Amino acid sequence: MIASSDVVAQIREFDEKGFLVLQDLLPTLFVERLTREVDHWVDSGLRQQSINACLHPGRCPVPEIVELEMAAHGELAVFPPLLELLEDEDLLGPAFVFHHLHSDRRPSGAPGKPWHHDYEQRPQRDRRLPMVHVLHYVQGLRPGMGALAVLPGSHHEVAEKDARSHLGTRVLPGEVLITELPPGSTVVLHSALFHTRRAGDASEAESLPAHLGCHPQHLGRR
């Protein structure tokens, strides 16, 4: 899949567009293991404990385990097909570092998230060093779950993360809408690319999976 002509074309256009879509990147058995770990991470309260510990250090206890200490999550952080792809000079190149990973479970009909980007730089002053966010749609994406919309080329702007948040999740000229992906698919975004998550369709909640596991990874060039 990584060597397909479609993926090669997307990589060559990454500097211009700022995103690429990798369908079926993660094998089925790996997806099953990740799904079980996401369920445990959320249902056990570990996810909320980790958030509380970050927001209130010293006041809230540190969870007994973090995501990278779970077997499948640790493997995801160093998943060879993905790392080999990111070594391409049109993406990150051969030298880059891992920043963070977090997983969550999003119910059907969940609210959207306004337009934003995730380029870690304070203050925002340039786009000299590439960073990418890797969104793993563990259980895929189907119409009604809440689409991902991206704004191609917007990663070349030097703008604050919330520069378009006043627009909510509205449709913008030139956006690309991703509404359907098979399980185990991945979307790679330049971290400065503006994107939004549209609200899911609550009327379809009964016919949709109970949860959608997503694993954003953040990596940047050294």
Side-chain angles (χ1 to χ4, degrees):
M1 188 281 301
I2 291 296
S4 72
S5 59
D6 173 66
V7 172
V8 171
Q10 288 189 74
I11 291 173
R12 297 296 170 260
E13 295 175 342
F14 189 80
D15 181 63
E16 175 189 353
K17 296 183 177 179
F19 75 99
L20 60 92
V21 179
L22 308 171
Q23 296 194 26
D24 303 305
L25 177 68
L26 307 178
T28 300
L29 293 179
F30 192 25
V31 165
E32 293 173 358
R33 293 173 57 215
L34 284 167
T35 299
R36 288 194 294 268
E37 287 189 358
V38 173
D39 284 338
H40 174 68
W41 181 247
V42 175
D43 293 336
S44 67
L46 286 169
R47 180 179 184 275
Q48 189 59 51
Q49 289 177 35
S50 70
I51 294 172
N52 294 341
C54 291
L55 293 176
H56 308 290
R59 290 169 42 196
C60 296
V62 176
E64 63 269 23
I65 190 173
V66 297
E67 285 150 301
L68 284 174
E69 294 176 298
M70 295 189 289
H73 279 67
E75 293 171 29
L76 183 65
V78 292
F79 188 59
L82 176 61
L83 297 189
E84 291 169 10
L85 180 144
L86 294 175
E87 288 176 353
D88 191 292
E89 290 290 352
D90 287 315
L91 295 176
L92 292 179
F96 53 88
V97 295
F98 174 85
H99 188 276
H100 72 267
L101 176 150
H102 68 83
S103 58
D104 195 7
R105 190 171 65 196
R106 185 167 180 260
S108 302
K113 185 173 183 178
W115 285 97
H116 67 285
H117 73 70
D118 297 296
Y119 195 84
E120 299 294 341
Q121 188 182 60
R122 296 186 181 133
Q124 298 283 331
R125 58 186 180 275
D126 58 50
R127 295 295 181 260
R128 184 173 60 87
L129 295 177
M131 303 178 198
V132 299
H133 272 66
V134 181
L135 312 181
H136 297 290
Y137 287 86
V138 178
Q139 292 189 320
L141 188 62
R142 287 168 51 191
M145 284 181 170
L148 171 68
V150 301
L151 194 60
S154 59
H155 58 301
H156 292 298
E157 302 175 14
V158 178
E160 294 299 323
K161 292 185 173 189
D162 61 355
R164 287 182 169 88
S165 63
H166 64 287
L167 301 173
T169 64
R170 73 180 60 169
V171 176
L172 299 185
E175 72 168 44
V176 171
L177 189 65
I178 302 170
T179 60
E180 192 163 7
L181 294 169
S185 294
T186 295
V187 178
V188 179
L189 303 177
H190 189 293
S191 296
L193 188 76
F194 277 91
H195 58 284
T196 183
R197 183 181 66 218
R198 299 266 156 75
D201 187 346
S203 67
E204 297 186 26
E206 292 299 323
S207 62
L208 294 175
H211 61 268
L212 171 66
C214 296
H215 300 254
Q217 279 179 271
H218 179 193
L219 306 101
R221 182 179 293 172
R222 291 191 295 199

